[in-house]
Amino acid sequence: MSRTVTKAIFPVAGLGTRFLPATKSIPKEIMTLVDRPLIQYAIDEARAAGIEEFIFVTSRGKGALEDYFDHAHELESSLKKSGKTELLDILRETNMDSGAIAYVRQHKALGLGHAVWCARRLLQDEPVAVVLTDDVIMGEPPCLQQMIEAYQETGGTMVATMEVPTEKTKSYGVLDVAEDMGAIVRARGMVEKPKENPPSNLAVIGRYILAPTVMENLNKLKQGAGGEIQLTDAIADEIEAGRDVFGLRFRGQRFDCGSKAGFLQATVAFGLARDELKDEFGDYLADVMSMRKAAE
């Protein structure tokens, strides 16, 4: 089997209820960190990793997300006439080539595993990446690129992992580690949101490279935690079948932009990383913290 990964699945069918009322009229995936929507960070990361085909698993009400990647001819023409070449270049970075994007619908919210399974007919006998837009990762090289480089050596199935406090493991899929090789670990099991006695503190976060056999496992449509079809269960089936599953301790900082606190933290981090914003924004944050400390 080839170890070249050129396709990625982006499950974007969620309703984004934690961000109501904003998500009443706009998809959560086009809410912005500074001046770029969440989906753009995910696409840029995938492009940097060599992804050429982008599969979006959507639902009703996601039209604005689909329109985002279209060419805005009138806007481009206006910027060109105004000589605003820098803005024109930024705008063109959001365009996608015809045929590079495919959309499939998830008609029922049956879990991440089900969302990935919905894309099965767009895949051949090939590995595929899965990118969750809620997890925004600041890292160099980008997380998915790190994973694909490691995957070239290991094969199998690979998940991105990070260490979390033991009391927080109940919110994640957690690896049971058979062999720790430093940046890469070999798994002997995975547990989805363990209520107690987690096998480790290595949590699985929203980046995956799936062997074709994972999709075969998902064909069983087996319900797991919460009555949903869990991707971690399909990956755990790989281990039970004697196939390799690895975790990569990626280099970078992950922000959970599916939560309000995580979204705000990411906004601060990415704002301070921008040369044109870091001084003014940094001074403001320092003033806020100073006033907060004085009020204690």
Side-chain angles (χ1 to χ4, degrees), residues 51-129:
I51 298 300
E52 300 171 356
E53 298 182 49
F54 305 80
I55 303 168
F56 290 84
V57 182
T58 67
S59 59
R60 292 185 64 187
K62 298 288 183 172
L65 176 62
E66 297 181 16
D67 291 342
Y68 174 76
F69 292 108
D70 253 343
H71 288 252
H73 297 291
E74 291 182 0
L75 181 54
E76 289 185 17
S77 178
S78 176
L79 293 174
K80 189 174 182 179
K81 289 178 180 178
S82 302
K84 298 178 179 179
T85 55
E86 290 186 7
L87 289 177
L88 185 59
D89 289 341
I90 291 172
L91 184 64
R92 285 174 173 168
E93 288 177 0
T94 69
N95 296 338
M96 301 289 283
D97 294 335
S98 296
I101 291 183
Y103 299 96
V104 296
R105 284 287 183 100
Q106 183 185 25
H107 297 295
K108 295 182 180 180
L110 297 178
L112 176 58
H114 181 262
V116 172
W117 176 79
C118 287
R120 66 196 182 282
R121 291 191 176 93
L122 298 178
L123 304 173
Q124 305 299 322
D125 185 25
E126 60 189 327
V128 64

Side-chain angles (χ1 to χ4, degrees), residues 187-190 217 220 222 232-245:
R188 65 166 155 251
M190 297 180 70
N217 300 337
K220 303 171 188 175
K222 180 176 64 177
T232 48
D233 289 343
I235 295 173
D237 288 346
E238 289 292 280
I239 299 170
E240 291 186 13
R243 293 186 283 266
D244 287 332
V245 173

